[in-house]
Amino acid sequence: MSDKPDFHGEMDRLQDHLEDHLPEWASRNFDRLRRPEAVWVRAPAGVALAAGGVFSVLPGLGLWMLPVGLALLAVDVPVMQDPLARMLNFANRQIDKRTKKTGDS
């Protein structure tokens, strides 16, 4: 028996929570990329986005591309899965905090 938490179960929960905050079109595409058979799209897209993020000083590219690309790659690269889970957990907490702040006003 392993003490390590189930990565895929936790990731599904965190990504479902994140999808709740996305526009419908983005949520639909994000869900498609999460499927196991999408590895042939996910891996090249992850590499391209990460590379675009590195070259964010060029016109048309942005720093936002780096974490998105790394997140796509982490789905298939086991070494990147724990940092991705921590990053998604942090992002979801920040989204919830901001949502509560604007809802309290």
Side-chain angles (χ1 to χ4, degrees), residues 9-59:
E10 180 68 7
M11 285 306 298
D12 283 342
R13 184 186 69 74
L14 289 169
Q15 289 175 341
D16 286 342
H17 185 75
L18 183 63
E19 267 187 62
D20 293 341
H21 300 288
L22 296 175
E24 195 270 328
W25 65 269
S27 177
R28 187 176 53 246
N29 289 319
F30 185 70
D31 191 44
R32 261 190 229 138
L33 283 174
R34 289 174 53 190
R35 296 181 188 151
E37 63 270 10
V39 68
W40 299 107
V41 174
R42 191 171 47 241
V47 169
L49 285 167
V54 169
F55 296 110
S56 63
V57 296
L58 299 174

Side-chain angles (χ1 to χ4, degrees), residues 44-73:
V47 169
L49 285 167
V54 169
F55 296 110
S56 63
V57 296
L58 299 174
L61 302 175
L63 192 57
W64 65 269
M65 298 169 82
L66 183 61
V68 173
L70 293 176
L72 285 175
L73 288 173

